[in-house]
Amino acid sequence: MKNTRLSPRPHPNALALAAALLAAAAAGPAGAQNYPITPQQRAIAQQTAQQGVPLSELAPNAPDEYTVRRGDTLWAISRMYLRSPWRWPELWGMNLSDIANPHRIYPGQVLYLDKTGGRARLSTRRGGSGGTVKLSPRTRYESASDLSLPTLNPSLIEPFLTEPEVVDDESVLSRAPRIVAGNEDRVLLSRGDRAYARGEPDAPLAMPPGPSQQLRVFRNATPLKDPGTGEILGYEGQYLGKVRLERGESTETQMKDGKELTAVVPATVDVVSAREEIRAGDRLLPEPPRQLVSYVPRAPAQTIEGGRIISVYGNAVSYASQNQVVAINKGRNDGMESGHVLAILKNGETIVDKTSGTRETLKLPNERIGLLMVFRTFSRVSYALVLEINDTPRAGDLLANP
Protein backbone atom coordinates (compact mmCIF):
# COMPACT_ATOMS: atom_id res chain seq x y z
CA MET A 1 0.00 0.00 0.00
CA LYS A 2 1.34 3.39 -0.94
CA ASN A 3 2.10 5.86 1.81
CA THR A 4 0.09 9.09 1.66
CA ARG A 5 1.64 12.45 2.39
CA LEU A 6 -0.57 14.24 4.88
CA SER A 7 -1.55 17.89 4.72
CA PRO A 8 0.08 20.20 7.27
CA ARG A 9 -1.72 20.88 10.51
CA PRO A 10 -2.47 24.33 12.02
CA HIS A 11 -0.14 23.55 14.91
CA PRO A 12 3.00 21.42 14.29
CA ASN A 13 2.45 19.29 17.38
CA ALA A 14 -1.33 19.37 17.43
CA LEU A 15 -2.00 15.90 16.09
CA ALA A 16 0.63 14.29 18.30
CA LEU A 17 -0.73 16.12 21.31
CA ALA A 18 -4.30 15.16 20.46
CA ALA A 19 -3.32 11.53 20.14
CA ALA A 20 -1.47 11.68 23.45
CA LEU A 21 -4.51 13.16 25.16
CA LEU A 22 -6.76 10.60 23.54
CA ALA A 23 -4.48 7.83 24.76
CA ALA A 24 -4.55 9.24 28.29
CA ALA A 25 -8.34 9.39 28.24
CA ALA A 26 -8.51 5.84 26.94
CA ALA A 27 -6.32 4.50 29.71
CA GLY A 28 -8.45 5.98 32.45
CA PRO A 29 -7.28 7.20 35.85
CA ALA A 30 -5.55 3.95 36.79
CA GLY A 31 -3.60 3.43 33.58
CA ALA A 32 -3.21 6.91 32.13
CA GLN A 33 0.20 8.48 31.82
CA ASN A 34 0.70 11.87 33.45
CA TYR A 35 0.52 14.24 30.49
CA PRO A 36 0.85 17.90 31.55
CA ILE A 37 -2.16 19.51 29.86
CA THR A 38 -2.74 23.26 29.85
CA PRO A 39 -6.09 24.76 28.80
CA GLN A 40 -4.46 26.00 25.59
CA GLN A 41 -3.08 22.53 24.78
CA ARG A 42 -6.46 20.94 25.43
CA ALA A 43 -8.13 23.47 23.12
CA ILE A 44 -5.63 22.64 20.37
CA ALA A 45 -6.23 18.92 20.84
CA GLN A 46 -10.00 19.34 20.67
CA GLN A 47 -9.71 21.46 17.54
CA THR A 48 -7.48 18.85 15.89
CA ALA A 49 -9.88 16.06 16.72
CA GLN A 50 -12.78 18.03 15.25
CA GLN A 51 -11.28 19.51 12.08
CA GLY A 52 -11.53 16.39 9.94
CA VAL A 53 -9.22 15.07 7.23
CA PRO A 54 -8.20 16.45 3.81
CA LEU A 55 -10.57 15.52 1.00
CA SER A 56 -7.65 13.74 -0.67
CA GLU A 57 -7.76 11.20 2.15
CA LEU A 58 -11.30 10.11 1.30
CA ALA A 59 -11.80 6.81 -0.49
CA PRO A 60 -12.80 7.31 -4.16
CA ASN A 61 -16.37 6.09 -3.64
CA ALA A 62 -16.98 7.39 -0.11
CA PRO A 63 -20.78 7.79 0.21
CA ASP A 64 -22.31 11.11 1.27
CA GLU A 65 -24.83 9.22 3.36
CA TYR A 66 -24.72 5.70 4.75
CA THR A 67 -27.16 3.77 6.91
CA VAL A 68 -25.35 1.44 9.29
CA ARG A 69 -26.36 -2.19 8.91
CA ARG A 70 -26.28 -5.13 11.23
CA GLY A 71 -22.98 -6.97 10.64
CA ASP A 72 -20.99 -3.81 9.84
CA THR A 73 -17.73 -3.16 11.65
CA LEU A 74 -15.96 0.10 12.43
CA TRP A 75 -12.96 -0.98 10.38
CA ALA A 76 -15.13 -1.80 7.34
CA ILE A 77 -16.84 1.61 7.56
CA SER A 78 -13.44 3.28 8.00
CA ARG A 79 -12.20 1.53 4.86
CA MET A 80 -15.37 2.59 3.01
CA TYR A 81 -14.69 6.26 3.75
CA LEU A 82 -10.91 6.60 4.00
CA ARG A 83 -7.79 5.69 2.09
CA SER A 84 -6.12 5.52 5.50
CA PRO A 85 -8.76 3.96 7.79
CA TRP A 86 -6.64 4.44 10.91
CA ARG A 87 -7.39 8.20 10.57
CA TRP A 88 -10.96 7.46 11.60
CA PRO A 89 -10.73 9.52 14.85
CA GLU A 90 -10.00 12.67 12.81
CA LEU A 91 -12.80 12.00 10.33
CA TRP A 92 -15.31 11.28 13.08
CA GLY A 93 -14.28 14.21 15.32
CA MET A 94 -14.31 12.22 18.55
CA ASN A 95 -14.64 13.68 22.01
CA LEU A 96 -11.47 13.31 24.04
CA SER A 97 -13.27 11.71 26.96
CA ASP A 98 -14.83 9.02 24.74
CA ILE A 99 -11.88 7.83 22.67
CA ALA A 100 -11.64 4.37 24.31
CA ASN A 101 -15.26 3.70 23.43
CA PRO A 102 -16.21 6.39 20.87
CA HIS A 103 -19.52 7.84 19.81
CA ARG A 104 -21.28 4.53 19.63
CA ILE A 105 -22.47 3.57 16.17
CA TYR A 106 -25.52 1.35 15.83
CA PRO A 107 -27.45 -0.41 13.09
CA GLY A 108 -30.07 2.00 11.81
CA GLN A 109 -27.98 5.14 12.36
CA VAL A 110 -27.37 7.35 9.35
CA LEU A 111 -23.85 8.70 8.88
CA TYR A 112 -23.48 11.97 6.97
CA LEU A 113 -20.29 13.06 5.21
CA ASP A 114 -19.62 16.79 5.38
CA LYS A 115 -17.03 18.11 2.87
CA THR A 116 -17.19 21.83 3.53
CA GLY A 117 -14.06 23.94 3.82
CA GLY A 118 -11.87 21.47 1.95
CA ARG A 119 -11.91 18.93 4.77
CA ALA A 120 -14.07 15.88 5.44
CA ARG A 121 -15.99 15.16 8.64
CA LEU A 122 -18.46 12.43 9.49
CA SER A 123 -21.33 12.77 11.94
CA THR A 124 -24.80 11.57 12.77
CA ARG A 125 -26.35 14.94 11.96
CA ARG A 126 -26.76 16.32 8.46
CA GLY A 127 -24.46 19.31 8.16
CA GLY A 128 -21.63 17.86 10.24
CA SER A 129 -22.28 19.19 13.74
CA GLY A 130 -22.80 15.68 15.09
CA GLY A 131 -24.58 14.42 18.12
CA THR A 132 -28.13 13.72 16.98
CA VAL A 133 -28.83 10.06 16.33
CA LYS A 134 -31.20 9.10 13.53
CA LEU A 135 -32.54 5.58 14.03
CA SER A 136 -34.71 3.48 11.80
CA PRO A 137 -38.27 2.86 13.09
CA ARG A 138 -37.40 -0.75 13.96
CA THR A 139 -34.45 0.19 16.17
CA ARG A 140 -35.17 1.02 19.79
CA TYR A 141 -32.89 3.63 21.33
CA GLU A 142 -33.16 1.94 24.73
CA SER A 143 -31.55 -1.24 23.39
CA ALA A 144 -28.86 0.47 21.34
CA SER A 145 -26.13 -0.14 23.92
CA ASP A 146 -26.30 -3.83 23.10
CA LEU A 147 -26.09 -3.24 19.35
CA SER A 148 -23.08 -0.93 18.97
CA LEU A 149 -20.71 -1.91 16.21
CA PRO A 150 -17.46 -3.67 17.06
CA THR A 151 -14.26 -2.47 15.44
CA LEU A 152 -13.65 -5.90 13.91
CA ASN A 153 -15.61 -9.09 13.48
CA PRO A 154 -15.76 -10.21 17.15
CA SER A 155 -15.30 -13.88 16.26
CA LEU A 156 -11.78 -13.12 15.02
CA ILE A 157 -10.42 -11.89 18.34
CA GLU A 158 -12.86 -12.77 21.14
CA PRO A 159 -11.11 -16.07 21.99
CA PHE A 160 -7.79 -14.24 22.29
CA LEU A 161 -9.15 -11.78 24.85
CA THR A 162 -9.19 -14.52 27.50
CA GLU A 163 -7.23 -17.49 26.15
CA PRO A 164 -3.57 -16.50 25.65
CA GLU A 165 -1.53 -15.41 28.63
CA VAL A 166 1.82 -13.68 28.58
CA VAL A 167 3.68 -13.28 31.88
CA ASP A 168 6.84 -11.32 32.58
CA ASP A 169 8.27 -13.95 34.91
CA GLU A 170 8.36 -17.66 34.11
CA SER A 171 7.68 -18.41 37.79
CA VAL A 172 4.12 -17.05 37.45
CA LEU A 173 3.23 -20.25 35.59
CA SER A 174 5.60 -22.55 37.45
CA ARG A 175 4.06 -21.53 40.80
CA ALA A 176 0.44 -21.54 39.60
CA PRO A 177 -1.91 -24.29 40.87
CA ARG A 178 -1.46 -27.56 38.97
CA ILE A 179 -3.53 -30.57 38.08
CA VAL A 180 -2.25 -33.59 40.02
CA ALA A 181 -4.56 -36.40 38.88
CA GLY A 182 -7.61 -37.32 36.90
CA ASN A 183 -10.67 -39.11 38.22
CA GLU A 184 -10.61 -42.91 37.88
CA ASP A 185 -6.91 -42.82 37.00
CA ARG A 186 -7.54 -40.96 33.75
CA VAL A 187 -4.26 -39.71 32.27
CA LEU A 188 -5.63 -37.56 29.42
CA LEU A 189 -8.58 -35.35 30.27
CA SER A 190 -11.19 -33.77 28.00
CA ARG A 191 -14.49 -31.97 28.37
CA GLY A 192 -16.74 -33.49 31.03
CA ASP A 193 -13.90 -35.18 32.94
CA ARG A 194 -13.23 -34.54 36.63
CA ALA A 195 -9.72 -33.82 37.89
CA TYR A 196 -7.93 -32.83 41.08
CA ALA A 197 -5.58 -29.89 41.57
CA ARG A 198 -3.58 -28.16 44.25
CA GLY A 199 -1.58 -24.99 44.75
CA GLU A 200 1.74 -24.32 46.39
CA PRO A 201 1.98 -25.10 50.14
CA ASP A 202 1.80 -21.38 50.94
CA ALA A 203 -1.03 -20.73 48.45
CA PRO A 204 -3.56 -23.59 48.42
CA LEU A 205 -6.27 -23.60 45.76
CA ALA A 206 -9.20 -22.28 47.79
CA MET A 207 -12.86 -22.01 46.84
CA PRO A 208 -13.76 -18.30 46.67
CA PRO A 209 -17.14 -17.07 47.90
CA GLY A 210 -19.89 -16.70 45.33
CA PRO A 211 -20.44 -18.60 42.08
CA SER A 212 -18.09 -21.35 40.91
CA GLN A 213 -14.83 -19.97 39.58
CA GLN A 214 -13.53 -20.83 36.12
CA LEU A 215 -9.81 -21.28 35.56
CA ARG A 216 -7.79 -21.48 32.36
CA VAL A 217 -5.44 -24.41 31.80
CA PHE A 218 -1.92 -23.84 30.44
CA ARG A 219 1.12 -25.90 29.61
CA ASN A 220 4.70 -24.76 29.16
CA ALA A 221 6.01 -21.21 29.24
CA THR A 222 7.39 -20.48 25.78
CA PRO A 223 9.83 -17.53 25.79
CA LEU A 224 8.90 -14.71 23.43
CA LYS A 225 12.17 -13.33 22.11
CA ASP A 226 12.71 -10.01 20.38
CA PRO A 227 13.70 -10.98 16.79
CA GLY A 228 16.16 -8.09 16.67
CA THR A 229 17.94 -8.34 20.03
CA GLY A 230 17.17 -11.88 21.18
CA GLU A 231 15.97 -10.51 24.53
CA ILE A 232 13.19 -12.45 26.26
CA LEU A 233 10.20 -10.10 26.50
CA GLY A 234 7.81 -12.48 28.26
CA TYR A 235 6.59 -16.05 28.47
CA GLU A 236 3.54 -17.29 26.59
CA GLY A 237 1.51 -20.10 28.11
CA GLN A 238 0.07 -22.73 25.78
CA TYR A 239 -3.70 -22.51 26.28
CA LEU A 240 -5.42 -25.90 26.65
CA GLY A 241 -8.93 -25.24 27.95
CA LYS A 242 -10.99 -24.29 31.00
CA VAL A 243 -12.01 -25.98 34.23
CA ARG A 244 -14.59 -25.06 36.84
CA LEU A 245 -13.54 -25.16 40.48
CA GLU A 246 -16.09 -27.29 42.33
CA ARG A 247 -14.41 -27.75 45.72
CA GLY A 248 -11.39 -26.07 47.25
CA GLU A 249 -8.26 -27.66 48.63
CA SER A 250 -8.45 -28.87 52.23
CA THR A 251 -6.80 -31.21 54.73
CA GLU A 252 -7.99 -34.40 56.37
CA THR A 253 -6.75 -36.05 59.58
CA GLN A 254 -6.37 -39.84 59.62
CA MET A 255 -5.10 -42.40 62.11
CA LYS A 256 -2.37 -44.74 60.87
CA ASP A 257 -0.43 -47.17 63.06
CA GLY A 258 -1.75 -45.34 66.10
CA LYS A 259 -0.50 -41.99 64.83
CA GLU A 260 -2.52 -39.04 63.71
CA LEU A 261 -1.56 -37.94 60.19
CA THR A 262 -2.76 -34.91 58.26
CA ALA A 263 -3.15 -35.38 54.52
CA VAL A 264 -3.83 -32.77 51.83
CA VAL A 265 -7.12 -33.22 49.95
CA PRO A 266 -6.70 -31.68 46.47
CA ALA A 267 -9.26 -29.31 45.02
CA THR A 268 -11.86 -30.73 42.64
CA VAL A 269 -12.24 -29.30 39.14
CA ASP A 270 -14.41 -30.25 36.18
CA VAL A 271 -13.17 -29.73 32.61
CA VAL A 272 -15.68 -27.47 30.82
CA SER A 273 -13.75 -27.03 27.56
CA ALA A 274 -10.59 -28.49 26.07
CA ARG A 275 -8.74 -27.34 22.98
CA GLU A 276 -6.20 -30.09 23.61
CA GLU A 277 -6.11 -33.00 26.04
CA ILE A 278 -5.25 -31.93 29.58
CA ARG A 279 -2.97 -33.92 31.87
CA ALA A 280 -1.31 -33.89 35.28
CA GLY A 281 1.20 -31.08 35.62
CA ASP A 282 -0.79 -28.56 33.58
CA ARG A 283 -1.19 -25.18 35.29
CA LEU A 284 -4.28 -23.18 36.24
CA LEU A 285 -4.70 -19.40 36.05
CA PRO A 286 -7.79 -17.28 36.80
CA GLU A 287 -9.94 -16.19 33.89
CA PRO A 288 -9.55 -12.43 33.31
CA PRO A 289 -12.57 -10.11 33.25
CA ARG A 290 -14.37 -9.95 29.94
CA GLN A 291 -13.15 -7.03 27.84
CA LEU A 292 -14.97 -4.74 25.47
CA VAL A 293 -14.18 -5.58 21.86
CA SER A 294 -14.93 -2.20 20.29
CA TYR A 295 -11.73 -0.22 19.77
CA VAL A 296 -10.89 2.89 17.80
CA PRO A 297 -8.51 2.12 14.91
CA ARG A 298 -5.83 4.81 15.03
CA ALA A 299 -2.16 5.38 14.42
CA PRO A 300 0.09 5.46 17.52
CA ALA A 301 0.91 8.96 18.74
CA GLN A 302 4.59 8.07 19.11
CA THR A 303 7.03 6.91 16.46
CA ILE A 304 7.43 3.14 16.56
CA GLU A 305 11.07 2.07 16.31
CA GLY A 306 12.35 -1.48 16.22
CA GLY A 307 8.89 -3.02 16.00
CA ARG A 308 8.77 -6.64 14.77
CA ILE A 309 6.46 -9.62 14.58
CA ILE A 310 7.62 -12.21 17.12
CA SER A 311 5.48 -15.19 16.19
CA VAL A 312 2.23 -16.39 14.67
CA TYR A 313 -0.09 -17.47 17.50
CA GLY A 314 -0.98 -21.14 17.72
CA ASN A 315 1.04 -22.15 14.71
CA ALA A 316 4.25 -24.08 14.27
CA VAL A 317 4.86 -22.11 11.05
CA SER A 318 6.39 -18.67 10.76
CA TYR A 319 4.04 -17.22 8.13
CA ALA A 320 0.76 -15.38 8.80
CA SER A 321 -2.29 -14.89 6.64
CA GLN A 322 -5.06 -12.30 6.81
CA ASN A 323 -7.18 -12.46 9.99
CA GLN A 324 -4.50 -14.38 11.89
CA VAL A 325 -3.21 -13.28 15.27
CA VAL A 326 0.47 -12.49 15.78
CA ALA A 327 2.58 -11.51 18.79
CA ILE A 328 4.65 -8.34 18.42
CA ASN A 329 7.58 -7.03 20.42
CA LYS A 330 5.88 -3.84 21.61
CA GLY A 331 3.61 -3.60 24.65
CA ARG A 332 2.18 -1.21 27.23
CA ASN A 333 5.67 -0.13 28.28
CA ASP A 334 6.22 1.06 24.69
CA GLY A 335 2.94 2.99 24.58
CA MET A 336 0.94 0.34 22.73
CA GLU A 337 -2.83 0.50 23.20
CA SER A 338 -5.72 -1.53 21.90
CA GLY A 339 -6.73 -0.07 18.54
CA HIS A 340 -3.26 0.99 17.42
CA VAL A 341 -2.73 0.23 13.73
CA LEU A 342 0.78 -0.59 12.46
CA ALA A 343 2.16 -1.16 9.00
CA ILE A 344 3.92 -4.47 8.26
CA LEU A 345 7.18 -4.07 6.34
CA LYS A 346 8.96 -6.87 4.53
CA ASN A 347 12.63 -6.66 5.42
CA GLY A 348 14.54 -6.04 2.21
CA GLU A 349 17.05 -8.74 1.32
CA THR A 350 20.77 -8.23 1.16
CA ILE A 351 22.06 -9.10 -2.33
CA VAL A 352 25.25 -8.90 -4.35
CA ASP A 353 25.15 -6.57 -7.35
CA LYS A 354 26.17 -8.96 -10.14
CA THR A 355 25.76 -6.24 -12.77
CA SER A 356 28.87 -4.45 -11.52
CA GLY A 357 32.43 -5.60 -11.65
CA THR A 358 32.86 -4.62 -8.01
CA ARG A 359 30.10 -7.06 -6.94
CA GLU A 360 28.99 -4.61 -4.29
CA THR A 361 26.65 -5.73 -1.48
CA LEU A 362 23.22 -4.04 -1.65
CA LYS A 363 20.36 -3.85 0.82
CA LEU A 364 16.98 -3.81 -0.93
CA PRO A 365 14.43 -1.37 0.52
CA ASN A 366 11.80 -2.48 3.02
CA GLU A 367 8.42 -2.90 1.33
CA ARG A 368 5.06 -2.33 2.97
CA ILE A 369 3.00 -5.53 2.74
CA GLY A 370 0.06 -5.03 5.09
CA LEU A 371 -1.56 -3.68 8.23
CA LEU A 372 -2.26 -5.09 11.67
CA MET A 373 -4.20 -3.81 14.67
CA VAL A 374 -3.25 -4.31 18.31
CA PHE A 375 -6.12 -5.64 20.40
CA ARG A 376 -4.53 -6.99 23.59
CA THR A 377 -1.47 -5.60 25.35
CA PHE A 378 0.93 -6.91 27.98
CA SER A 379 3.96 -5.21 29.53
CA ARG A 380 6.39 -5.78 26.68
CA VAL A 381 4.46 -7.65 24.01
CA SER A 382 1.02 -7.40 22.38
CA TYR A 383 -1.33 -9.50 20.29
CA ALA A 384 -2.46 -8.02 16.99
CA LEU A 385 -4.79 -9.06 14.19
CA VAL A 386 -3.49 -9.01 10.61
CA LEU A 387 -6.03 -6.81 8.82
CA GLU A 388 -4.77 -6.51 5.25
CA ILE A 389 -1.88 -8.03 3.30
CA ASN A 390 -0.53 -7.98 -0.23
CA ASP A 391 2.28 -10.42 0.55
CA THR A 392 2.84 -13.03 3.26
CA PRO A 393 3.96 -11.60 6.63
CA ARG A 394 6.24 -13.74 8.74
CA ALA A 395 7.96 -13.74 12.10
CA GLY A 396 10.74 -11.15 12.07
CA ASP A 397 9.00 -8.72 9.72
CA LEU A 398 9.28 -5.06 10.68
CA LEU A 399 6.52 -2.84 12.04
CA ALA A 400 6.17 0.92 11.65
CA ASN A 401 3.69 3.74 11.91
CA PRO A 402 1.08 3.41 9.19
Side-chain angles (χ1 to χ4, degrees):
M1 186 183 292
K2 186 177 179 181
N3 287 326
T4 304
R5 185 176 181 85
L6 304 181
S7 300
R9 298 283 185 253
H11 187 286
N13 296 319
L15 182 57
L17 173 63
L21 296 175
L22 297 175
Q33 300 183 43
N34 294 321
Y35 293 100
I37 304 172
T38 66
Q40 181 181 10
Q41 289 173 331
R42 180 172 291 279
I44 293 172
Q46 289 172 332
Q47 179 185 359
T48 303
Q50 294 287 341
Q51 70 182 171
V53 298
L55 296 182
S56 59
E57 276 292 290
L58 287 179
N61 299 317
D64 292 329
E65 182 177 315
Y66 179 72
T67 301
V68 180
R69 303 169 186 169
R70 199 177 287 271
D72 281 342
T73 63
L74 183 57
W75 182 258
I77 293 177
S78 302
R79 172 59 66 193
M80 181 194 311
Y81 277 100
L82 291 169
R83 297 179 187 271
S84 306
W86 56 89
R87 296 192 65 179
W88 174 262
E90 297 167 71
L91 178 70
W92 186 246
M94 292 178 178
N95 293 327
L96 296 179
S97 60
D98 293 337
I99 187 66
N101 198 2
H103 292 271
R104 289 183 177 273
I105 306 173
Y106 310 102
Q109 279 186 327
V110 180
L111 305 179
Y112 298 103
L113 183 62
D114 174 25
K115 294 185 279 191
T116 59
R119 301 186 74 84
R121 302 165 189 83
L122 198 64
S123 74
T124 53
R125 176 181 294 174
R126 192 185 297 275
S129 55
T132 299
V133 178
K134 178 180 177 181
L135 299 176
S136 67
R138 295 183 181 180
T139 303
R140 294 181 57 194
Y141 179 80
E142 291 81 8
S143 62
S145 61
D146 298 326
L147 301 173
S148 56
L149 297 190
T151 304
L152 307 166
N153 183 346
S155 65
L156 297 176
I157 61 173
E158 273 187 343
F160 297 94
L161 298 177
T162 57
E163 290 182 1
E165 186 65 43
V166 175
V167 295
D168 297 329
D169 188 343
E170 190 176 11
S171 65
V172 173
L173 277 172
S174 64
R175 286 186 53 82
R178 64 194 183 279
I179 291 177
V180 295
N183 193 24
E184 299 179 348
D185 296 325
R186 291 182 183 272
V187 177
L188 300 178
L189 306 170
S190 58
R191 181 180 177 182
D193 287 338
R194 171 155 288 192
Y196 305 101
R198 64 171 305 193
E200 293 294 303
D202 58 345
L205 183 54
M207 187 77 177
S212 298
Q213 181 184 20
Q214 286 203 350
L215 302 165
R216 294 169 297 160
V217 188
F218 292 93
R219 183 178 302 151
N220 304 331
T222 305
L224 295 175
K225 295 183 179 180
D226 190 306
T229 65
E231 181 185 5
I232 295 178
L233 304 176
Y235 296 85
E236 182 182 72
Q238 178 189 353
Y239 175 81
L240 302 175
K242 293 181 183 179
V243 299
R244 183 174 57 248
L245 182 60
E246 298 291 351
R247 185 168 50 244
E249 196 173 336
S250 61
T251 58
E252 184 176 291
T253 301
Q254 298 177 337
M255 295 297 296
K256 186 175 182 180
D257 299 330
K259 295 182 180 179
E260 190 176 86
L261 299 177
T262 300
V264 173
V265 179
T268 300
V269 298
D270 288 337
V271 180
V272 295
S273 67
R275 174 173 289 179
E276 298 182 27
E277 290 180 318
I278 297 168
R279 61 176 185 245
D282 291 336
R283 300 287 173 167
L284 306 177
L285 290 176
E287 189 169 16
R290 183 176 176 81
Q291 300 180 34
L292 294 173
V293 295
S294 185
Y295 312 114
V296 182
R298 63 197 186 278
Q302 72 281 12
T303 300
I304 302 301
E305 297 181 352
R308 286 178 181 260
I309 294 176
I310 299 175
S311 61
V312 180
Y313 183 80
N315 258 312
V317 297
S318 299
Y319 293 88
S321 59
Q322 189 166 325
N323 294 333
Q324 274 194 292
V325 171
V326 297
I328 68 172
N329 67 341
K330 298 294 177 180
R332 288 191 296 265
N333 293 355
D334 307 290
M336 284 288 99
E337 297 174 1
S338 297
H340 278 170
V341 176
L342 298 174
I344 307 171
L345 306 179
K346 184 177 182 178
N347 199 1
E349 297 180 8
T350 300
I351 65 171
V352 175
D353 183 3
K354 298 180 181 178
T355 65
S356 169
T358 60
R359 298 182 68 83
E360 186 179 359
T361 299
L362 304 177
K363 167 67 168 61
L364 299 183
N366 300 330
E367 296 289 350
R368 180 168 170 161
I369 62 172
L371 292 171
L372 56 74
M373 192 191 84
V374 172
F375 66 86
R376 190 177 180 200
T377 59
F378 298 90
S379 296
R380 304 179 69 191
V381 302
S382 298
Y383 287 121
L385 182 72
V386 177
L387 297 172
E388 303 172 5
I389 56 173
N390 53 36
D391 200 342
T392 307
R394 62 180 180 179
D397 278 348
L398 306 175
L399 302 173
N401 294 64

